[in-house]
Amino acid sequence: MSLDWYSAADDPEVVEFGPVRALSIMGQGEPGGAVYGTSAGALYAVARALIGVAARHGRVFEMPCLEGRWWVEDERPPFDVPREEWWWHLFLRLPDAAGGAWDDAWVDEAREAARHPAAARVQFVTFTEGLCVQALHRGPYAEEPKTLARMEAHIRDAGFVRNGLHHEIYLSDVRETDPEKMRTILRQPVRAA
């Protein structure tokens, strides 16, 4: 099983991850829409400030990849639900190397330093993804259903069912428009059927 958070094979694979810490913000709305943009801006503003706070405490790290956990509160399949009704947690994972150094005081200081109107919505979270099926999606987000269908077949064939929120890790800049450069890890928590 793979242990690298930022690595995935082209073909669906089973992986397992323990707890991770992150800065996170939750919202509802279409990807790239106004609420999403304001929320992502706040998340990055707090993260930039936290990088400075951490450096003053001897914990140097670079800006991590943007990630999102997505869901709909509807009985319809997600892609049948209008995008403005999609819910998400956007987050930036904090490095494990800092160990127990991350704490609410650092995040509070970063929120204040960020001076962003939505900075108060950015939270310091810990979550455990556990057992997952994942695959690397190459190309536009609109073509993700092809990769997701392969993952769904792998989940079923391996005797699993979904067990958590759909997770995406944007290895390329989310503003990238060249399909040849777009890379996204698609990850789905699972459990035995």
Side-chain angles (χ1 to χ4, degrees):
M1 287 199 276
S2 172
L3 295 176
D4 183 354
W5 187 263
Y6 298 108
S7 178
D10 289 333
D11 292 324
E13 62 183 338
V14 176
V15 294
E16 188 168 0
F17 296 101
V20 296
R21 295 181 180 111
L23 293 177
S24 178
I25 192 164
M26 187 178 106
Q28 181 183 25
E30 95 177 275
V35 173
Y36 181 96
T38 297
S39 298
L43 184 62
Y44 276 111
V46 173
R48 281 190 295 275
L50 183 60
I51 287 170
V53 171
R56 287 195 305 275
H57 291 278
R59 308 287 187 181
V60 177
F61 71 99
E62 295 180 14
M63 185 67 71
C65 298
L66 181 66
E67 304 185 37
R69 293 168 51 180
W70 298 84
W71 74 98
V72 296
E73 294 183 357
D74 195 299
E75 296 300 318
R76 295 174 287 174
F79 289 107
D80 292 346
V81 175
R83 293 163 52 98
E84 62 269 9
E85 295 178 28
W86 290 5
W87 286 89
W88 33 263
H89 285 143
L90 298 178
F91 61 97
L92 296 167
R93 183 174 176 221
L94 300 174
D96 295 333
W102 304 114
D103 64 27
D104 288 327
W106 286 22
V107 177
D108 289 344
E109 185 178 340
R111 273 194 215 102
E112 188 174 316
R115 300 183 195 272
H116 189 286
R121 293 181 39 228
V122 175
Q123 302 297 310
F124 174 54
V125 300
T126 301
F127 70 94
T128 302
E129 201 130 59
L131 193 63
C132 300
V133 169
Q134 71 175 13
L136 179 63
H137 173 72
R138 297 173 186 270
Y141 305 123
E143 294 178 9
E144 284 183 8
K146 294 176 191 175
T147 304
L148 292 170
R150 292 184 12 246
M151 289 172 60
E152 198 61 39
H154 189 81
I155 290 169
R156 184 184 59 251
D157 294 347
F160 294 125
V161 293
R162 288 191 226 167
N163 188 40
L165 301 179
H166 168 73
H167 182 174
E168 299 186 356
I169 302 173
Y170 308 104
L171 300 178
S172 49
D173 188 313
V174 293
R175 298 167 295 187
E176 179 62 63
T177 58
D178 181 350
E180 295 297 316
K181 296 179 181 175
M182 297 175 78
R183 303 283 183 274
T184 308
I185 295 174
L186 304 180
R187 189 174 288 160
Q188 178 60 56
V190 296
R191 64 172 173 77

